[in-house]
Amino acid sequence: MAMGIEKQYFKAEHYPLNKEYIHNELEELFAIYLEKHEIYTQELAYEVWKDSYLKIRYNLRFLLTLYFSFCTDKEAYALQNILKWKDNQIRLIYIELMWKRGLEIGIKEIEEILKSTDGSQEAFIIINENKPELLPRDPFFKIIL
């Protein structure tokens, strides 16, 4: 479902949900996600609750993509704290959604992710689809696909 919305197969008008409801759900999910993510990064307790964490990430992706189908550019920019998160997958979703709107944000972050081991394949795909001019020109740079 999230992929369908992200790729614009579905839009907010296809759902009987209003903007306020989605925004409130997203805010609640941000709080839950950040609490879990803080535990994960400090205690490395990922294995203990990874199923609930992955479900939260999936729901966050779904609500974020749904929210982007009807929020304003100003409201989209208001979520840029996501770029400070340690979770590269969520950061990439945000950057891709912003780029699809034609908004310039996240270039430094996506280049950082591209050079890391976590999310580099997704970063490469997002850059290649949206801003191929940002791909590294260094012949020694290789990405494992």
Side-chain angles (χ1 to χ4, degrees):
M1 183 75 77
M3 184 67 80
I5 294 170
E6 186 176 324
K7 299 297 181 187
Q8 299 179 349
Y9 300 133
F10 306 106
K11 296 198 183 268
E13 56 266 16
H14 297 147
Y15 298 92
L17 303 172
N18 66 34
K19 182 178 177 179
E20 183 180 338
Y21 174 81
I22 294 295
H23 185 263
N24 290 340
E25 290 293 309
L26 194 55
E27 290 294 321
E28 287 178 27
L29 196 55
F30 281 160
I32 294 168
Y33 171 82
L34 289 173
E35 178 184 330
K36 296 259 187 215
H37 194 65
E38 186 67 24
I39 293 167
Y40 165 57
T41 56
Q42 286 186 5
E43 300 174 12
L44 300 177
Y46 181 70
E47 289 300 319
V48 175
W49 47 266
K50 73 177 182 180
D51 291 336
S52 63
Y53 182 69
L54 293 175
K55 191 180 294 185
I56 290 169
R57 289 173 78 197
Y58 176 80
N59 288 337
L60 184 57
R61 178 183 182 133
F62 173 75
L63 287 172
L64 198 56
T65 54
L66 186 59
Y67 183 68
F68 264 69
S69 72
F70 57 77
C71 74
T72 65
D73 289 350
K74 183 178 178 181
E75 291 167 327
Y77 274 119
L79 300 175
Q80 65 184 303
N81 277 340
I82 292 172
L83 294 176
K84 296 177 184 174
W85 293 5
K86 295 177 184 175
D87 187 332
N88 286 342
Q89 302 299 321
I90 302 298
R91 292 167 68 198
L92 286 170
I93 291 164
Y94 178 72
I95 291 167
E96 183 176 25
L97 290 168
M98 293 294 278
W99 286 3
K100 286 183 178 186
R101 295 185 93 137
L103 303 175
E104 294 296 322
I105 194 168
I107 292 173
K108 179 185 73 154
E109 289 83 2
I110 202 164
E111 288 175 345
E112 171 191 309
I113 295 167
L114 185 64
K115 296 173 184 170
S116 73
T117 56
D118 179 34
S120 60
Q121 181 176 357
E122 291 88 350
F124 177 82
I125 293 167
I126 291 168
I127 292 172
N128 197 40
E129 289 179 359
N130 297 283
K131 295 187 180 290
E133 68 277 6
L134 294 179
L135 288 173
R137 302 282 185 238
D138 184 350
F140 296 107
F141 180 81
K142 293 182 182 176
I143 189 162
I144 299 171
L145 295 178

mmCIF file of all heavy atoms in Angstrom, residues 65-102:
data_model
loop_
_atom_site.group_PDB
_atom_site.id
_atom_site.type_symbol
_atom_site.label_atom_id
_atom_site.label_comp_id
_atom_site.label_asym_id
_atom_site.label_seq_id
_atom_site.Cartn_x
_atom_site.Cartn_y
_atom_site.Cartn_z
ATOM 1 N N THR A 65 3.762 8.788 3.385
ATOM 2 C CA THR A 65 3.460 8.894 1.958
ATOM 3 C C THR A 65 2.021 9.344 1.726
ATOM 4 O O THR A 65 1.755 10.121 0.806
ATOM 5 C CB THR A 65 3.723 7.566 1.222
ATOM 6 O OG1 THR A 65 3.017 6.517 1.853
ATOM 7 C CG2 THR A 65 5.193 7.226 1.211
ATOM 8 N N LEU A 66 1.119 8.897 2.562
ATOM 9 C CA LEU A 66 -0.267 9.351 2.442
ATOM 10 C C LEU A 66 -0.363 10.842 2.766
ATOM 11 O O LEU A 66 -1.006 11.600 2.041
ATOM 12 C CB LEU A 66 -1.168 8.536 3.375
ATOM 13 C CG LEU A 66 -2.659 8.781 3.274
ATOM 14 C CD1 LEU A 66 -3.172 8.501 1.865
ATOM 15 C CD2 LEU A 66 -3.412 7.912 4.276
ATOM 16 N N TYR A 67 0.303 11.261 3.816
ATOM 17 C CA TYR A 67 0.298 12.669 4.203
ATOM 18 C C TYR A 67 0.864 13.553 3.093
ATOM 19 O O TYR A 67 0.330 14.625 2.795
ATOM 20 C CB TYR A 67 1.104 12.839 5.495
ATOM 21 C CG TYR A 67 1.117 14.235 6.056
ATOM 22 C CD1 TYR A 67 -0.048 14.801 6.579
ATOM 23 C CD2 TYR A 67 2.279 14.983 6.088
ATOM 24 C CE1 TYR A 67 -0.047 16.085 7.103
ATOM 25 C CE2 TYR A 67 2.290 16.264 6.617
ATOM 26 C CZ TYR A 67 1.122 16.810 7.120
ATOM 27 O OH TYR A 67 1.121 18.077 7.640
ATOM 28 N N PHE A 68 1.913 13.092 2.447
ATOM 29 C CA PHE A 68 2.540 13.872 1.368
ATOM 30 C C PHE A 68 1.632 13.992 0.147
ATOM 31 O O PHE A 68 1.852 14.858 -0.691
ATOM 32 C CB PHE A 68 3.886 13.258 0.973
ATOM 33 C CG PHE A 68 5.054 13.905 1.643
ATOM 34 C CD1 PHE A 68 5.256 13.756 3.002
ATOM 35 C CD2 PHE A 68 5.941 14.678 0.928
ATOM 36 C CE1 PHE A 68 6.321 14.354 3.632
ATOM 37 C CE2 PHE A 68 7.019 15.285 1.545
ATOM 38 C CZ PHE A 68 7.213 15.124 2.907
ATOM 39 N N SER A 69 0.647 13.144 0.039
ATOM 40 C CA SER A 69 -0.227 13.245 -1.123
ATOM 41 C C SER A 69 -1.194 14.426 -1.013
ATOM 42 O O SER A 69 -1.817 14.787 -1.993
ATOM 43 C CB SER A 69 -0.979 11.940 -1.364
ATOM 44 O OG SER A 69 -1.979 11.730 -0.405
ATOM 45 N N PHE A 70 -1.293 15.051 0.175
ATOM 46 C CA PHE A 70 -2.174 16.207 0.280
ATOM 47 C C PHE A 70 -1.647 17.352 1.133
ATOM 48 O O PHE A 70 -2.301 18.373 1.256
ATOM 49 C CB PHE A 70 -3.573 15.815 0.770
ATOM 50 C CG PHE A 70 -3.607 15.107 2.091
ATOM 51 C CD1 PHE A 70 -3.456 15.775 3.273
ATOM 52 C CD2 PHE A 70 -3.812 13.743 2.127
ATOM 53 C CE1 PHE A 70 -3.499 15.115 4.481
ATOM 54 C CE2 PHE A 70 -3.863 13.078 3.327
ATOM 55 C CZ PHE A 70 -3.710 13.763 4.506
ATOM 56 N N CYS A 71 -0.470 17.233 1.730
ATOM 57 C CA CYS A 71 0.042 18.348 2.536
ATOM 58 C C CYS A 71 0.645 19.420 1.621
ATOM 59 O O CYS A 71 0.958 19.167 0.463
ATOM 60 C CB CYS A 71 1.060 17.863 3.563
ATOM 61 S SG CYS A 71 2.678 17.405 2.913
ATOM 62 N N THR A 72 0.820 20.598 2.178
ATOM 63 C CA THR A 72 1.438 21.695 1.439
ATOM 64 C C THR A 72 2.961 21.543 1.515
ATOM 65 O O THR A 72 3.483 20.790 2.344
ATOM 66 C CB THR A 72 1.041 23.058 2.029
ATOM 67 O OG1 THR A 72 1.574 23.149 3.359
ATOM 68 C CG2 THR A 72 -0.473 23.235 2.057
ATOM 69 N N ASP A 73 3.667 22.290 0.682
ATOM 70 C CA ASP A 73 5.125 22.275 0.732
ATOM 71 C C ASP A 73 5.627 22.739 2.099
ATOM 72 O O ASP A 73 6.584 22.184 2.642
ATOM 73 C CB ASP A 73 5.719 23.159 -0.366
ATOM 74 C CG ASP A 73 5.532 22.570 -1.755
ATOM 75 O OD1 ASP A 73 5.119 21.397 -1.869
ATOM 76 O OD2 ASP A 73 5.800 23.295 -2.730
ATOM 77 N N LYS A 74 4.979 23.746 2.662
ATOM 78 C CA LYS A 74 5.371 24.253 3.982
ATOM 79 C C LYS A 74 5.225 23.153 5.034
ATOM 80 O O LYS A 74 6.091 22.990 5.899
ATOM 81 C CB LYS A 74 4.515 25.467 4.341
ATOM 82 C CG LYS A 74 4.891 26.116 5.644
ATOM 83 C CD LYS A 74 4.037 27.339 5.924
ATOM 84 C CE LYS A 74 4.408 27.952 7.262
ATOM 85 N NZ LYS A 74 3.600 29.124 7.573
ATOM 86 N N GLU A 75 4.140 22.394 4.975
ATOM 87 C CA GLU A 75 3.927 21.298 5.930
ATOM 88 C C GLU A 75 4.948 20.184 5.709
ATOM 89 O O GLU A 75 5.401 19.552 6.668
ATOM 90 C CB GLU A 75 2.503 20.752 5.795
ATOM 91 C CG GLU A 75 1.453 21.733 6.270
ATOM 92 C CD GLU A 75 0.043 21.354 5.856
ATOM 93 O OE1 GLU A 75 -0.133 20.765 4.769
ATOM 94 O OE2 GLU A 75 -0.891 21.664 6.624
ATOM 95 N N ALA A 76 5.318 19.941 4.472
ATOM 96 C CA ALA A 76 6.336 18.922 4.168
ATOM 97 C C ALA A 76 7.687 19.343 4.730
ATOM 98 O O ALA A 76 8.396 18.544 5.339
ATOM 99 C CB ALA A 76 6.425 18.699 2.664
ATOM 100 N N TYR A 77 8.055 20.616 4.543
ATOM 101 C CA TYR A 77 9.313 21.132 5.095
ATOM 102 C C TYR A 77 9.325 21.065 6.627
ATOM 103 O O TYR A 77 10.376 20.899 7.239
ATOM 104 C CB TYR A 77 9.564 22.573 4.663
ATOM 105 C CG TYR A 77 10.251 22.723 3.333
ATOM 106 C CD1 TYR A 77 9.639 23.388 2.276
ATOM 107 C CD2 TYR A 77 11.540 22.220 3.138
ATOM 108 C CE1 TYR A 77 10.272 23.537 1.054
ATOM 109 C CE2 TYR A 77 12.183 22.363 1.916
ATOM 110 C CZ TYR A 77 11.548 23.028 0.892
ATOM 111 O OH TYR A 77 12.192 23.169 -0.314
ATOM 112 N N ALA A 78 8.158 21.194 7.252
ATOM 113 C CA ALA A 78 8.074 21.175 8.714
ATOM 114 C C ALA A 78 8.515 19.832 9.298
ATOM 115 O O ALA A 78 8.830 19.745 10.484
ATOM 116 C CB ALA A 78 6.652 21.498 9.162
ATOM 117 N N LEU A 79 8.573 18.799 8.481
ATOM 118 C CA LEU A 79 8.987 17.474 8.947
ATOM 119 C C LEU A 79 10.473 17.204 8.740
ATOM 120 O O LEU A 79 10.929 16.076 8.909
ATOM 121 C CB LEU A 79 8.165 16.401 8.216
ATOM 122 C CG LEU A 79 6.656 16.453 8.405
ATOM 123 C CD1 LEU A 79 5.972 15.409 7.536
ATOM 124 C CD2 LEU A 79 6.288 16.262 9.865
ATOM 125 N N GLN A 80 11.250 18.224 8.422
ATOM 126 C CA GLN A 80 12.647 17.992 8.065
ATOM 127 C C GLN A 80 13.527 17.505 9.213
ATOM 128 O O GLN A 80 14.673 17.119 8.992
ATOM 129 C CB GLN A 80 13.249 19.202 7.373
ATOM 130 C CG GLN A 80 13.357 20.446 8.186
ATOM 131 C CD GLN A 80 13.871 21.591 7.343
ATOM 132 O OE1 GLN A 80 14.945 21.495 6.753
ATOM 133 N NE2 GLN A 80 13.107 22.660 7.267
ATOM 134 N N ASN A 81 13.013 17.440 10.433
ATOM 135 C CA ASN A 81 13.772 16.817 11.522
ATOM 136 C C ASN A 81 14.041 15.346 11.232
ATOM 137 O O ASN A 81 14.959 14.764 11.814
ATOM 138 C CB ASN A 81 13.044 16.966 12.856
ATOM 139 C CG ASN A 81 13.306 18.308 13.492
ATOM 140 O OD1 ASN A 81 14.271 18.984 13.168
ATOM 141 N ND2 ASN A 81 12.429 18.709 14.392
ATOM 142 N N ILE A 82 13.264 14.759 10.363
ATOM 143 C CA ILE A 82 13.490 13.368 9.955
ATOM 144 C C ILE A 82 14.913 13.202 9.421
ATOM 145 O O ILE A 82 15.523 12.153 9.599
ATOM 146 C CB ILE A 82 12.439 12.927 8.910
ATOM 147 C CG1 ILE A 82 11.062 12.838 9.563
ATOM 148 C CG2 ILE A 82 12.821 11.605 8.258
ATOM 149 C CD1 ILE A 82 9.919 12.605 8.592
ATOM 150 N N LEU A 83 15.444 14.228 8.793
ATOM 151 C CA LEU A 83 16.802 14.150 8.242
ATOM 152 C C LEU A 83 17.858 13.965 9.324
ATOM 153 O O LEU A 83 18.963 13.514 9.031
ATOM 154 C CB LEU A 83 17.112 15.389 7.408
ATOM 155 C CG LEU A 83 16.288 15.552 6.139
ATOM 156 C CD1 LEU A 83 16.616 16.871 5.459
ATOM 157 C CD2 LEU A 83 16.496 14.381 5.193
ATOM 158 N N LYS A 84 17.535 14.284 10.571
ATOM 159 C CA LYS A 84 18.475 14.123 11.681
ATOM 160 C C LYS A 84 18.403 12.722 12.301
ATOM 161 O O LYS A 84 19.224 12.389 13.135
ATOM 162 C CB LYS A 84 18.193 15.170 12.755
ATOM 163 C CG LYS A 84 18.423 16.587 12.266
ATOM 164 C CD LYS A 84 18.073 17.589 13.334
ATOM 165 C CE LYS A 84 18.213 19.008 12.800
ATOM 166 N NZ LYS A 84 17.744 20.006 13.753
ATOM 167 N N TRP A 85 17.410 11.941 11.911
ATOM 168 C CA TRP A 85 17.260 10.603 12.477
ATOM 169 C C TRP A 85 18.406 9.719 12.017
ATOM 170 O O TRP A 85 19.006 9.943 10.964
ATOM 171 C CB TRP A 85 15.945 9.990 12.054
ATOM 172 C CG TRP A 85 14.734 10.675 12.627
ATOM 173 C CD1 TRP A 85 14.702 11.813 13.386
ATOM 174 C CD2 TRP A 85 13.381 10.272 12.458
ATOM 175 N NE1 TRP A 85 13.407 12.137 13.701
ATOM 176 C CE2 TRP A 85 12.573 11.211 13.143
ATOM 177 C CE3 TRP A 85 12.769 9.224 11.804
ATOM 178 C CZ2 TRP A 85 11.202 11.111 13.198
ATOM 179 C CZ3 TRP A 85 11.390 9.132 11.852
ATOM 180 C CH2 TRP A 85 10.618 10.062 12.542
ATOM 181 N N LYS A 86 18.677 8.681 12.770
ATOM 182 C CA LYS A 86 19.738 7.741 12.423
ATOM 183 C C LYS A 86 19.256 6.670 11.448
ATOM 184 O O LYS A 86 20.064 5.988 10.845
ATOM 185 C CB LYS A 86 20.277 7.085 13.691
ATOM 186 C CG LYS A 86 20.965 8.079 14.597
ATOM 187 C CD LYS A 86 21.428 7.442 15.879
ATOM 188 C CE LYS A 86 22.026 8.506 16.779
ATOM 189 N NZ LYS A 86 22.398 7.978 18.080
ATOM 190 N N ASP A 87 17.971 6.524 11.312
ATOM 191 C CA ASP A 87 17.377 5.487 10.458
ATOM 192 C C ASP A 87 17.421 5.934 8.996
ATOM 193 O O ASP A 87 16.629 6.756 8.546
ATOM 194 C CB ASP A 87 15.937 5.235 10.898
ATOM 195 C CG ASP A 87 15.296 4.060 10.193
ATOM 196 O OD1 ASP A 87 15.675 3.755 9.047
ATOM 197 O OD2 ASP A 87 14.407 3.443 10.794
ATOM 198 N N ASN A 88 18.354 5.381 8.242
ATOM 199 C CA ASN A 88 18.529 5.792 6.844
ATOM 200 C C ASN A 88 17.319 5.480 5.982
ATOM 201 O O ASN A 88 17.023 6.221 5.040
ATOM 202 C CB ASN A 88 19.771 5.145 6.250
ATOM 203 C CG ASN A 88 21.040 5.770 6.766
ATOM 204 O OD1 ASN A 88 21.029 6.876 7.294
ATOM 205 N ND2 ASN A 88 22.146 5.072 6.635
ATOM 206 N N GLN A 89 16.608 4.407 6.267
ATOM 207 C CA GLN A 89 15.451 4.054 5.449
ATOM 208 C C GLN A 89 14.356 5.123 5.528
ATOM 209 O O GLN A 89 13.803 5.518 4.503
ATOM 210 C CB GLN A 89 14.883 2.687 5.870
ATOM 211 C CG GLN A 89 15.880 1.552 5.775
ATOM 212 C CD GLN A 89 16.391 1.339 4.365
ATOM 213 O OE1 GLN A 89 15.649 1.439 3.404
ATOM 214 N NE2 GLN A 89 17.665 1.029 4.243
ATOM 215 N N ILE A 90 14.073 5.596 6.719
ATOM 216 C CA ILE A 90 13.044 6.637 6.889
ATOM 217 C C ILE A 90 13.546 7.956 6.303
ATOM 218 O O ILE A 90 12.790 8.687 5.656
ATOM 219 C CB ILE A 90 12.657 6.802 8.373
ATOM 220 C CG1 ILE A 90 12.132 5.486 8.964
ATOM 221 C CG2 ILE A 90 11.643 7.921 8.541
ATOM 222 C CD1 ILE A 90 10.881 4.946 8.309
ATOM 223 N N ARG A 91 14.812 8.255 6.498
ATOM 224 C CA ARG A 91 15.382 9.478 5.909
ATOM 225 C C ARG A 91 15.240 9.444 4.384
ATOM 226 O O ARG A 91 14.900 10.453 3.757
ATOM 227 C CB ARG A 91 16.851 9.611 6.297
ATOM 228 C CG ARG A 91 17.061 9.896 7.774
ATOM 229 C CD ARG A 91 18.500 9.725 8.208
ATOM 230 N NE ARG A 91 19.353 10.739 7.621
ATOM 231 C CZ ARG A 91 20.668 10.634 7.549
ATOM 232 N NH1 ARG A 91 21.294 9.569 8.019
ATOM 233 N NH2 ARG A 91 21.393 11.588 7.015
ATOM 234 N N LEU A 92 15.509 8.297 3.780
ATOM 235 C CA LEU A 92 15.410 8.170 2.323
ATOM 236 C C LEU A 92 13.975 8.357 1.832
ATOM 237 O O LEU A 92 13.747 8.974 0.795
ATOM 238 C CB LEU A 92 15.945 6.816 1.871
ATOM 239 C CG LEU A 92 17.463 6.661 1.920
ATOM 240 C CD1 LEU A 92 17.855 5.206 1.675
ATOM 241 C CD2 LEU A 92 18.135 7.586 0.918
ATOM 242 N N ILE A 93 13.026 7.817 2.569
ATOM 243 C CA ILE A 93 11.618 7.985 2.184
ATOM 244 C C ILE A 93 11.277 9.475 2.160
ATOM 245 O O ILE A 93 10.672 9.974 1.204
ATOM 246 C CB ILE A 93 10.691 7.230 3.156
ATOM 247 C CG1 ILE A 93 10.866 5.722 2.987
ATOM 248 C CG2 ILE A 93 9.230 7.627 2.941
ATOM 249 C CD1 ILE A 93 10.304 4.912 4.128
ATOM 250 N N TYR A 94 11.676 10.179 3.204
ATOM 251 C CA TYR A 94 11.388 11.607 3.279
ATOM 252 C C TYR A 94 12.047 12.364 2.121
ATOM 253 O O TYR A 94 11.410 13.182 1.457
ATOM 254 C CB TYR A 94 11.848 12.164 4.628
ATOM 255 C CG TYR A 94 11.624 13.646 4.772
ATOM 256 C CD1 TYR A 94 10.337 14.156 4.930
ATOM 257 C CD2 TYR A 94 12.685 14.537 4.740
ATOM 258 C CE1 TYR A 94 10.127 15.515 5.061
ATOM 259 C CE2 TYR A 94 12.487 15.900 4.873
ATOM 260 C CZ TYR A 94 11.206 16.385 5.029
ATOM 261 O OH TYR A 94 10.989 17.737 5.146
ATOM 262 N N ILE A 95 13.310 12.086 1.873
ATOM 263 C CA ILE A 95 14.028 12.764 0.787
ATOM 264 C C ILE A 95 13.349 12.486 -0.551
ATOM 265 O O ILE A 95 13.123 13.406 -1.348
ATOM 266 C CB ILE A 95 15.504 12.334 0.756
ATOM 267 C CG1 ILE A 95 16.236 12.873 1.986
ATOM 268 C CG2 ILE A 95 16.191 12.810 -0.526
ATOM 269 C CD1 ILE A 95 17.608 12.265 2.215
ATOM 270 N N GLU A 96 13.010 11.228 -0.807
ATOM 271 C CA GLU A 96 12.371 10.896 -2.085
ATOM 272 C C GLU A 96 11.033 11.601 -2.233
ATOM 273 O O GLU A 96 10.721 12.142 -3.303
ATOM 274 C CB GLU A 96 12.190 9.384 -2.211
ATOM 275 C CG GLU A 96 11.590 8.986 -3.548
ATOM 276 C CD GLU A 96 11.490 7.486 -3.734
ATOM 277 O OE1 GLU A 96 11.426 6.755 -2.733
ATOM 278 O OE2 GLU A 96 11.473 7.056 -4.887
ATOM 279 N N LEU A 97 10.236 11.636 -1.164
ATOM 280 C CA LEU A 97 8.950 12.326 -1.235
ATOM 281 C C LEU A 97 9.135 13.822 -1.500
ATOM 282 O O LEU A 97 8.380 14.416 -2.271
ATOM 283 C CB LEU A 97 8.159 12.106 0.062
ATOM 284 C CG LEU A 97 7.629 10.692 0.280
ATOM 285 C CD1 LEU A 97 7.130 10.518 1.706
ATOM 286 C CD2 LEU A 97 6.537 10.359 -0.721
ATOM 287 N N MET A 98 10.135 14.415 -0.888
ATOM 288 C CA MET A 98 10.409 15.839 -1.117
ATOM 289 C C MET A 98 10.848 16.081 -2.561
ATOM 290 O O MET A 98 10.399 17.022 -3.210
ATOM 291 C CB MET A 98 11.477 16.347 -0.139
ATOM 292 C CG MET A 98 11.028 16.365 1.305
ATOM 293 S SD MET A 98 9.699 17.527 1.647
ATOM 294 C CE MET A 98 10.616 19.049 1.827
ATOM 295 N N TRP A 99 11.740 15.227 -3.056
ATOM 296 C CA TRP A 99 12.227 15.395 -4.429
ATOM 297 C C TRP A 99 11.111 15.215 -5.441
ATOM 298 O O TRP A 99 11.091 15.883 -6.472
ATOM 299 C CB TRP A 99 13.360 14.426 -4.704
ATOM 300 C CG TRP A 99 14.652 14.809 -4.036
ATOM 301 C CD1 TRP A 99 14.877 15.872 -3.196
ATOM 302 C CD2 TRP A 99 15.892 14.136 -4.149
ATOM 303 N NE1 TRP A 99 16.182 15.877 -2.788
ATOM 304 C CE2 TRP A 99 16.831 14.836 -3.354
ATOM 305 C CE3 TRP A 99 16.307 12.999 -4.835
ATOM 306 C CZ2 TRP A 99 18.150 14.436 -3.241
ATOM 307 C CZ3 TRP A 99 17.627 12.609 -4.717
ATOM 308 C CH2 TRP A 99 18.543 13.321 -3.930
ATOM 309 N N LYS A 100 10.195 14.312 -5.178
ATOM 310 C CA LYS A 100 9.076 14.119 -6.106
ATOM 311 C C LYS A 100 8.200 15.355 -6.191
ATOM 312 O O LYS A 100 7.513 15.557 -7.179
ATOM 313 C CB LYS A 100 8.254 12.894 -5.705
ATOM 314 C CG LYS A 100 8.955 11.605 -6.031
ATOM 315 C CD LYS A 100 8.113 10.416 -5.692
ATOM 316 C CE LYS A 100 8.868 9.165 -6.100
ATOM 317 N NZ LYS A 100 8.079 7.973 -5.930
ATOM 318 N N ARG A 101 8.241 16.167 -5.160
ATOM 319 C CA ARG A 101 7.505 17.437 -5.166
ATOM 320 C C ARG A 101 8.317 18.540 -5.808
ATOM 321 O O ARG A 101 7.851 19.671 -5.939
ATOM 322 C CB ARG A 101 7.194 17.864 -3.735
ATOM 323 C CG ARG A 101 6.269 16.937 -3.002
ATOM 324 C CD ARG A 101 5.962 17.546 -1.682
ATOM 325 N NE ARG A 101 4.736 18.297 -1.871
ATOM 326 C CZ ARG A 101 3.735 18.292 -1.020
ATOM 327 N NH1 ARG A 101 3.828 17.656 0.104
ATOM 328 N NH2 ARG A 101 2.648 18.966 -1.274
ATOM 329 N N GLY A 102 9.560 18.258 -6.154
ATOM 330 C CA GLY A 102 10.424 19.265 -6.742
ATOM 331 C C GLY A 102 11.089 20.156 -5.709
ATOM 332 O O GLY A 102 11.576 21.237 -6.031
#
